[in-house]
Amino acid sequence: MPPIVTTAEIGRPAAEVFAYATDPARFKKWQKGVVDGHMDGPAGGTPAVGATCVTTRRIGGASRPSTSELVHIDPPRAWGVRGTDGPIRAAVDVLVEPVTGSRSRLTISVDFTGHGIGKILVPLMVRREARKEMPDNIAALKRLIEEG
């Protein structure tokens, strides 16, 4: 199946959009179900390929952390992570393209692979829920970035 792709034009420069959209500490502000997020590794500066991103989601009444590895980064244009643990592993790619000096196009692509029980959950529930949530998540992200 193809990845789930959502795009929005945001009234902010590419560097601002990139910084906000790729900061795991801000995921809980715009992603449904996320309760915490952070990058592991040295504090400050731009994360490098191989860094780990830990995101905790509220699923079925419990908080469940998942770890992803940063597989590519090209600020302020591209960022991608791949899940490394758990039954459902996300592959997320973020692309930010400048439209003008003060406007950017943000595209987020999400795909999933299942392991163990995840092989059943991904096609039955996970992809459907993500397809439903992504437009709302992107709309929330756009609103937060534009409000500054």
Side-chain angles (χ1 to χ4, degrees):
M1 293 199 134
I4 299 160
V5 180
T6 309
T7 301
E9 195 166 301
I10 300 175
R12 287 285 190 247
E16 287 182 39
V17 173
F18 181 86
Y20 202 102
T22 62
D23 180 356
R26 291 179 167 157
F27 290 175
K28 64 185 173 190
K29 294 181 180 180
W30 61 273
Q31 289 185 34
K32 183 177 179 188
V34 173
V35 295
D36 192 30
H38 65 275
M39 293 297 294
D40 279 344
T46 303
V49 168
T52 56
C53 172
V54 180
T55 305
T56 303
R57 294 181 183 278
R58 194 87 176 144
I59 301 171
S63 293
R64 303 185 190 278
S66 66
T67 303
S68 298
E69 180 181 355
L70 184 60
V71 295
H72 65 87
I73 184 167
D74 181 18
R77 182 168 160 58
W79 183 88
V81 293
R82 301 294 178 267
T84 60
D85 63 2
I88 299 163
R89 300 179 192 177
V92 181
D93 290 295
V94 174
L95 177 64
V96 181
E97 303 167 286
V99 175
T100 66
S102 62
R103 295 195 69 74
S104 305
R105 182 174 304 106
L106 171 68
T107 302
I108 300 178
S109 172
V110 181
D111 205 356
F112 302 94
T113 55
H115 298 265
I117 188 74
K119 288 181 180 179
I120 296 168
L121 296 175
V122 167
L124 284 180
M125 296 172 42
V126 175
R127 289 185 63 80
R128 181 183 48 192
E129 285 300 310
R131 190 172 283 110
K132 189 168 66 172
E133 289 175 9
M134 283 298 294
D136 291 340
N137 288 346
I138 293 287
L141 177 61
K142 174 182 168 67
R143 181 180 41 76
L144 287 165
I145 293 173
E146 288 181 344
E147 287 174 355

